[in-house]
Amino acid sequence: AQTVTQSQPEMSVQEAETVTLSCTYDTSESDYYLFWYKQPPSRQMILVIRQEAYKQQNATENRFSVNFQKAAKSFSLKISDSQLGDAAMYFCAYSPSGFGNEKLTFGTGTRLTIIP
Amino acid sequence: EAQVTQNPRYLITVTGKKLTVTCSQNMNHEYMSWYRQDPGLGLRQIYYSMNVEVTDKGDVPEGYKVSRKEKRNFPLILESPSPNQTSLYFCASSFRGGQGFEQYFGPGTRLTVT
């Protein structure tokens, strides 16, 4: 079974600085999707960024970028120029590709605090 | 607006009183799923449905039922709720196509069973 591990339960960063959240996963599949979701106090699950395993290029969305290391099964999220609105719980998630259960397997989350 | 809706958003009930949490999506997605979120455990899948009348168990299905009679709706049924089902519940729908895969989440339902 696939597993996703987020080893940092909490992190904090000074406003305008850069922070990196770690995620590792375990799978025997060669093709899959990886995601970072943000959950603010409103509890809504918001997709931050998505990576397809067969694409070698790291995904980028504005201030958010990932470092995808397929051989190491590592998928870290870098937030540049941190803003107060980035404060939230961040979840890393995995999904297999192909037909079948499109289940997302989530990590346990990292709570990010932004220090003004 | 493309969205997944859930009702109710908050529910406090007593042990053993049957309840239903509704979920509806307006994106014509074939795949829908229910998750529960508990502190320190992330989100875990309860049940999923790949199309009308096609449902299957996820990782934590005990104590729950689902049905999929229409493509847009996927209600979660707790026939005899217990305190260990106190949790935050999310419904989601998704598509897979040439542009990749994305799962859309509803706003969540906070359930408390006393």
Side-chain angles (χ1 to χ4, degrees):
Chain A
Q2 291 82 11
T3 58
V4 177
T5 302
Q6 294 179 250
S7 59
Q8 306 153 315
E10 297 183 348
M11 290 195 71
S12 60
V13 63
Q14 207 81 26
E15 190 177 3
E17 296 296 310
T18 296
V19 64
T20 298
L21 309 183
S22 300
C23 173
T24 59
Y25 60 94
D26 187 27
T27 183
S28 58
E29 303 292 327
S30 60
D31 196 17
Y32 45 86
Y33 296 95
L34 295 165
F35 306 85
W36 278 97
Y37 280 89
K38 171 185 178 181
Q39 187 178 47
S42 67
R43 303 188 314 229
Q44 180 71 44
M45 295 294 288
I46 301 167
L47 178 64
V48 175
I49 200 164
R50 171 180 57 209
Q51 176 80 41
E52 297 176 71
Y54 72 88
K55 292 185 177 179
Q56 294 186 347
Q57 186 173 6
N58 289 326
T60 299
E61 290 286 345
N62 300 314
R63 297 182 295 108
F64 299 87
S65 62
V66 298
N67 184 4
F68 173 48
Q69 302 288 330
K70 190 173 184 179
K73 295 180 182 175
S74 171
F75 183 61
S76 61
L77 175 70
K78 185 173 81 171
I79 306 174
S80 304
D81 185 25
S82 297
Q83 301 176 359
L84 295 177
D86 295 334
M89 181 74 89
Y90 286 81
F91 291 98
C92 179
Y94 164 100
S95 178
S97 66
F99 185 76
N101 186 4
E102 298 171 6
K103 178 180 77 172
L104 289 171
T105 298
F106 286 87
T108 52
T110 297
R111 184 170 300 282
L112 179 64
T113 301
I114 310 296
I115 303 167
Chain B
E1 178 190 357
Q3 62 181 351
V4 179
T5 57
Q6 293 178 231
N7 282 292
R9 296 289 309 279
Y10 303 89
L11 180 60
I12 301 174
T13 189
V14 297
T15 298
K17 185 176 181 182
K18 181 179 179 179
L19 67 91
T20 299
V21 183
T22 64
C23 172
S24 183
Q25 50 95 4
N26 63 0
M27 296 167 279
N28 201 37
H29 289 163
E30 292 182 348
Y31 181 90
M32 299 184 73
S33 182
W34 277 102
Y35 296 86
R36 62 176 287 173
Q37 182 182 2
D38 301 292
L41 296 177
L43 284 77
R44 295 175 293 167
Q45 190 186 52
I46 303 170
Y47 266 94
Y48 68 96
S49 170
M50 295 181 65
N51 213 327
V52 175
E53 303 291 0
V54 181
T55 64
D56 206 349
K57 298 177 181 178
D59 295 323
V60 288
E62 294 76 21
Y64 304 94
K65 284 179 58 176
V66 293
S67 68
R68 186 93 180 271
K69 294 182 170 55
E70 302 168 285
K71 197 172 188 178
R72 65 182 292 127
N73 297 323
F74 189 44
L76 180 68
I77 303 157
L78 286 72
E79 293 206 326
S80 184
S82 62
N84 64 13
Q85 293 178 297
T86 292
S87 188
L88 177 59
Y89 291 86
F90 286 98
C91 180
S93 72
S94 66
F95 76 87
R96 275 205 186 144
Q99 295 186 0
F101 165 52
E102 184 164 347
Q103 194 147 122
Y104 295 79
F105 284 85
T109 295
R110 170 71 70 185
L111 173 65
T112 302
V113 183
T114 62

